[in-house]
Amino acid sequence: MTYDFDLICIGGGSGGIACAKRSASYGKKTLVIERQRLGGTCVNVGCVPKKVMWSAAHIAHTVKHDMKHYGFSTDSEVKLDFPKLKQARDNYVKRLNGIYASGFERAGVECVFGEATFVDKHTVKVVSQEDGMKKETNYTAEKIVIATGGRPHFPPGEGIEENCISSDGFFELEDLPKVAVVVGAGYIAVELAGVLNSLGAETHLVVRKGKALREFDPMISDGLDKEMVKAGIMIHRNTNGVAKVTADDQKKKTVTLHSGDVIYGADVVLMAAGRVPNTEDLCAECEWAPNTETLHLESCGVKVTPRKYIIVDEYQNTNVDNIYALGDVAGVVELTPMAIAAGRRLADRLFSGNPDLAFAKVSYENVPTVVFSHPTIGTCGITESKAIEKYGQDNVKVYTSRFSDSHYGIFDVQPEDKPKTLMKLVCAGVEEKVVGIHVLGMGADEMMQGFGVAMKMGATKADLDSCVAIHPTASEELVTMGTWGTSPQESGAKVSTLNGAASAEPKLS
């Protein structure tokens, strides 16, 4: 049978773009269907604009708290022009949208904008607007990838959806709120609470249980909790969530928690209580979304979980032989670089023709990640408790360190008042293989990438010790923990790095 395209990617976010461009590089005719702006959540209302706001908050923190210790002063108050910051950020995002469009042109990828609907397993209908008129076009492809991502979720409760914004809405704010309430205990909640607080808003963080980031190693989550409190964030604990949100005539919000606590006078209530996959356009029976604009997965037979994530195997295959899914919509590891890697590896497997890539797939293990909190968190691998559960208490050895970064060395404050960097190495087995690295503190975001490479290569504690420290840095602590050089002298490297061994040499042709 002849099709219009070799591949259709539904979703022009990170995963869909990566898969489409890699497929086109193999000479395949490829189409991307996107209903909004190219780049998906990450570029438009996620990682990219969030990092801009984090950077602004970092500058604000430096000016307010650090500058004076280094001898700097100003003759007048340093003020934030929030509308100017927003305009610059939005312009940056718009440029990135254009870069993606240009990238499609160079790669030979076609792109259409509109709502996609499955007609059958090889056919997708796209509904778009052209000159104010509704237009419907059918496209066929041998293979179809679903990469529609996810979106913020509003929990049930009186007035919540009407009087709250999501993380998407955060990027629409025209002014910095004086009082902000952030609801949630995950990445997004602590990141945006940190930004708002550092920029000068009175910030409340509402968590259902005792603290945020409960799935992280306790040393890290407890450490962040202390730093957030020290920074002035008011944390409302053990609330069991928000019961209702009301607004008065001045649009001031009153937030009533299930615990009975009440927060008055909020300008903004930001719900960051979780995300859901964008399958409402794919599945007519999604309980959490209106049954309009449906893509009708039932038309092609793709199965979803009770939470509406598309069911895939390790190769991104769905239960339908020519349909695949990747990224947040599959709910495995919901990170932008993960979706990009999955998209490229899927294209390699399907279209490269290279026998070495016939079983190509992405690895979902030892994925380094960062939380852009204040201070930042970097982590890779499993927590101490997970390691004990997996390997047994007697097979796990843990190294920890707590110190003040040299940045704070000259600060004229008591040692305990200086921000702390916390580090933990979780090792397992007789060789002390590193199975978890967890860092809280200045520079954690930048140092974790390299240590992630080491973990992917099977580094042991002795391997870390074998790398000479870079001084003075915070990251040197990770290669000098414990009594240096006394760990079992076993290497995870293909060519041992231990005891002064020569570095591996490349194979020459």
Side-chain angles (χ1 to χ4, degrees), residues 104-306:
F104 278 166
E105 291 180 11
R106 290 193 300 271
V109 174
E110 295 186 39
C111 181
V112 297
F113 290 89
E115 293 282 352
T117 305
F118 271 105
V119 176
D120 58 45
K121 64 185 255 185
H122 288 286
T123 308
V124 176
K125 178 176 71 176
V126 177
V127 179
S128 59
Q129 294 290 326
E130 190 171 294
D131 298 326
M133 301 292 291
K134 181 179 177 181
K135 178 183 177 182
E136 295 184 0
T137 308
N138 283 359
Y139 299 94
T140 62
E142 180 183 1
K143 301 180 186 299
I144 298 175
V145 171
I146 302 170
T148 50
R151 70 181 191 280
H153 170 63
F154 285 98
E158 179 185 340
I160 288 179
E161 195 159 354
E162 298 88 341
N163 297 314
C164 300
I165 65 171
S166 67
S167 55
D168 290 3
F170 171 81
F171 297 107
E172 297 175 5
L173 292 174
E174 297 291 341
D175 294 293
L176 179 70
K178 291 183 178 179
V179 180
V181 177
V182 180
V183 181
Y187 282 51
I188 298 171
V190 299
E191 289 177 338
L192 297 186
V195 165
L196 289 163
N197 182 68
S198 293
L199 291 180
E202 177 188 309
T203 305
H204 299 254
L205 178 63
V206 176
V207 296
R208 290 183 67 249
K209 298 186 179 179
K211 62 179 179 179
L213 302 183
R214 295 188 305 275
E215 297 301 312
F216 281 64
D217 194 279
M219 180 179 178
I220 301 303
S221 55
D222 290 342
L224 177 64
D225 189 275
K226 291 177 182 177
E227 293 296 337
M228 288 194 295
V229 171
K230 188 186 296 184
I233 296 175
M234 288 165 271
I235 303 178
H236 302 259
R237 308 176 192 278
N238 300 308
T239 65
N240 202 29
V242 175
K244 66 177 181 179
V245 179
T246 59
D248 62 20
D249 293 340
Q250 283 73 47
K251 297 184 179 180
K252 294 285 187 178
K253 280 81 173 176
T254 298
V255 183
T256 303
L257 310 178
H258 283 294
S259 61
D261 291 348
V262 181
I263 305 170
Y264 298 97
D267 298 297
V268 167
V269 181
L270 194 161
M271 281 287 164
R275 293 177 66 83
V276 291
N278 277 329
T279 49
E280 91 283 4
D281 295 335
L282 312 177
C283 176
E285 299 177 356
C286 295
E287 297 176 359
W288 40 257
N291 290 329
T292 58
E293 304 175 334
T294 54
L295 191 59
H296 296 299
L297 278 181
E298 65 274 15
S299 296
C300 59
V302 170
K303 293 181 179 179
V304 297
T305 71

Side-chain angles (χ1 to χ4, degrees), residues 47 50-51 54-55 184-195 205 212-217 220-221 224-225 228 334-335 367-380 437-449:
C47 326
K50 173 197 71 182
K51 184 64 183 294
W54 181 89
S55 296
Y187 282 51
I188 298 171
V190 299
E191 289 177 338
L192 297 186
V195 165
L205 178 63
L213 302 183
R214 295 188 305 275
E215 297 301 312
F216 281 64
D217 194 279
I220 301 303
S221 55
L224 177 64
D225 189 275
M228 288 194 295
E334 297 179 48
L335 296 170
V367 177
T369 187
V370 163
V371 182
F372 285 99
S373 49
H374 288 76
T376 52
I377 291 171
T379 182
C380 185
I437 299 179
H438 309 278
V439 181
L440 167 73
M442 179 180 286
D445 50 324
E446 293 294 343
M447 72 177 73
M448 190 50 59
Q449 189 73 77

Side-chain angles (χ1 to χ4, degrees), residues 150 275-277 307 309 327-336 338-339 364:
R275 293 177 66 83
V276 291
R307 294 184 61 196
Y309 289 101
D328 288 9
V329 77
V332 185
V333 175
E334 297 179 48
L335 296 170
T336 294
M338 195 79 256
Y364 288 98

Side-chain angles (χ1 to χ4, degrees), residues 397-468:
K397 186 168 183 178
V398 174
Y399 299 84
T400 62
S401 183
R402 179 178 184 270
F403 60 95
S404 294
D405 191 282
S406 60
H407 174 81
Y408 304 107
I410 67 172
F411 280 32
D412 187 19
V413 298
Q414 292 299 311
E416 282 305 308
D417 292 333
K418 296 179 180 180
K420 297 297 180 289
T421 293
L422 307 178
M423 294 182 173
K424 177 181 282 191
L425 287 179
V426 183
C427 303
V430 295
E431 76 275 37
E432 292 192 17
K433 180 180 180 181
V434 180
V435 296
I437 299 179
H438 309 278
V439 181
L440 167 73
M442 179 180 286
D445 50 324
E446 293 294 343
M447 72 177 73
M448 190 50 59
Q449 189 73 77
F451 285 101
V453 173
M455 282 192 63
K456 292 293 284 186
M457 297 177 71
T460 63
K461 175 63 168 65
D463 286 324
L464 296 187
D465 287 354
S466 74
C467 181
V468 174

Side-chain angles (χ1 to χ4, degrees), residues 51-82:
K51 184 64 183 294
V52 171
M53 299 306 290
W54 181 89
S55 296
H58 178 68
I59 292 170
H61 182 91
T62 300
V63 170
K64 292 176 185 177
H65 302 289
D66 296 0
M67 185 174 72
K68 61 184 179 183
H69 293 287
Y70 278 85
F72 291 94
S73 62
T74 58
D75 295 329
S76 60
E77 182 184 358
V78 177
K79 295 182 179 180
L80 169 65
D81 186 338
F82 193 89

